[in-house]
Amino acid sequence: MHSKTSLVGLSTLAYLHAANAAAMSLASNLTIPVQFAVASYRQVDSYTSINFFSSFNFFTGSDPTHGFVDYQSQSNAQNRGLINTNNGQIYLGVDHTTTNPSPGRASVRLTSNKAYNHGLFIADIAHMPGSICGVWPAFWLFGPNWPNSGEIDVLEGVNLAGTNSITLHTSAGCTINIGGSQGGTNLNDANCNSNNGYNGCGVTTTVPNAYGDGFNNNGGGVYAMQWESSGIYVWFFPRNNIPADIRSGNPVTGNWGLPIVAFNGGSGCNIDQHFMNQNIVFDTTFCGDWAGGVWGGTCASRASSCNNYVAQNPGVFAPAYWTINSVKVYQL
């Protein structure tokens, strides 16, 4: 964790200490979240097409979520055209030409070499995997010894979803409230250790053009996730409405209005005990525990199982790719 004392003045420090105490009290009373640091964030890391693939490692093990996926090494992904940095953007794709691939459809899962404690994480994404049966994309963070160091799912969904699911996963003892979130955000479960952490405490959202096909058709946008002792907050800005302070590299969370979701800490959850040493992850898997587990409706009319559909219809996965302009990390 980066030292705060060498970066901000004494008057700002006094403000932050007061704000932190106020945040705990406010969160406990289901009121709006404190915008924890209105003027003191500084950039500590910038991941762009220049350094992304040297700053992230390629996971090549079996999918922990039991997906029908074959995660590729960097060299294999490069050779197969699954990754590139064309036009100054980071491209993360999947195989969309092979029928009945074994042991699963080729894809990539990248994890940042660096782990973080607290910060403001701003991802400028031009395209994400579309709303396609069998697809399960995610932009998220997690720490070691899961779920003891926590997991923060910023952008995630499955199959034909048109809206984003935002979820926290923790060890026992973290119950969250979402007071101060935007209207239309609904808490599915307050217990972040629900089902031993596998379900977690998630919300469904109604923000337009924030996921899948709608997101892509609108040119993507920016997700910002703020993680401090008071709580974890997530904003989304569509391409045509990105705040000037983000575009200038001087983000001020207090300017942005209510987040899509405010996961408030306070008496129900000591954030610093449940979230630590987290790495940034981008991945695209197929089927598995979630996308396969809810296989039904329109998707089920196309194939008897998720795995069969993914195996036999490679061409539909051409739009299942990420195009990332940058991921920037700021800390106090």
Side-chain angles (χ1 to χ4, degrees):
M1 182 175 177
H2 291 265
S3 170
K4 299 176 184 177
T5 55
S6 63
L7 302 173
V8 292
L10 292 176
S11 60
T12 305
L13 279 173
Y15 164 76
L16 290 175
H17 286 308
N20 188 30
M24 295 300 184
S25 173
L26 287 170
S28 298
N29 291 314
L30 302 181
T31 56
I32 65 170
V34 169
Q35 306 313 317
F36 190 80
V38 295
S40 59
Y41 274 105
R42 68 174 183 106
Q43 183 177 297
V44 294
D45 289 301
S46 177
Y47 301 114
T48 67
S49 61
I50 296 172
N51 65 347
F52 192 88
F53 291 126
S54 62
S55 302
F56 282 68
N57 64 79
F58 284 69
F59 174 83
T60 57
S62 298
D63 182 12
T65 63
H66 311 107
F68 182 69
V69 66
D70 184 15
Y71 286 128
Q72 302 292 295
S73 67
Q74 182 171 354
S75 59
N76 285 350
Q78 186 78 51
N79 292 337
R80 299 182 68 165
L82 304 186
I83 61 171
N84 66 57
T85 54
N86 297 340
N87 304 313
Q89 297 175 308
I90 302 130
Y91 172 87
L92 309 175
V94 305
D95 169 64
H96 54 86
T97 60
T98 307
T99 303
N100 294 320
S102 178
R105 188 156 300 284
S107 181
V108 292
R109 170 173 163 163
L110 280 77
T111 306
S112 64
N113 296 332
K114 185 174 179 179
Y116 297 91
N117 286 285
H118 292 188
L120 178 63
F121 301 78
I122 298 181
D124 185 332
I125 302 170
H127 187 282
M128 68 170 292
S131 305
I132 307 166
C133 291
V135 169
W136 178 0
F139 161 52
W140 52 297
L141 296 85
F142 81 114
N145 195 21
W146 189 94
N148 294 320
S149 300
E151 175 180 328
I152 305 169
D153 300 329
V154 180
L155 175 56
E156 185 179 31
V158 296
N159 299 330
L160 300 176
T163 57
N164 185 23
S165 295
I166 308 172
T167 308
L168 306 181
H169 304 260
T170 70
S171 55
C174 178
T175 301
I176 214 77
N177 75 72
I178 61 166
S181 301
Q182 289 182 16
T185 297
N186 295 304
L187 182 64
N188 300 324
D189 192 328
N191 177 14
C192 299
N193 185 243
S194 178
N195 190 23
N196 295 316
Y198 287 98
N199 293 352
C201 54
V203 298
T204 54
T205 65
T206 58
V207 177
N209 301 322
Y211 180 89
D213 289 348
F215 178 93
N216 297 332
N217 292 339
N218 201 42
V222 165
Y223 269 94
M225 185 273 287
Q226 183 185 35
W227 161 26
E228 299 293 350
S229 298
S230 58
I232 294 168
Y233 315 108
V234 177
W235 289 262
F236 170 68
F237 305 105
R239 181 63 56 197
N240 61 357
N241 195 33
I242 299 170
D245 56 18
I246 289 180
R247 288 187 275 109
S248 69
N250 298 289
V252 181
T253 58
N255 291 342
W256 300 345
L258 295 179
I260 296 175
V261 59
F263 291 114
N264 302 300
S267 60
C269 183
N270 184 318
I271 296 294
D272 292 341
Q273 288 183 0
H274 290 281
F275 297 89
M276 63 195 79
N277 304 320
Q278 299 215 348
N279 301 84
I280 303 167
V281 184
F282 283 92
D283 75 79
T284 305
T285 188
F286 304 94
C287 303
D289 296 336
W290 187 6
V294 296
W295 189 254
T298 300
C299 293
S301 71
R302 298 175 181 175
S304 59
S305 73
C306 184
N307 283 14
N308 286 344
Y309 184 76
V310 172
Q312 296 167 12
N313 297 276
V316 303
F317 300 106
Y321 64 88
W322 297 91
T323 304
I324 303 161
N325 292 324
S326 66
V327 179
K328 297 181 179 180
V329 183
Y330 300 79
Q331 291 183 323
L332 298 176

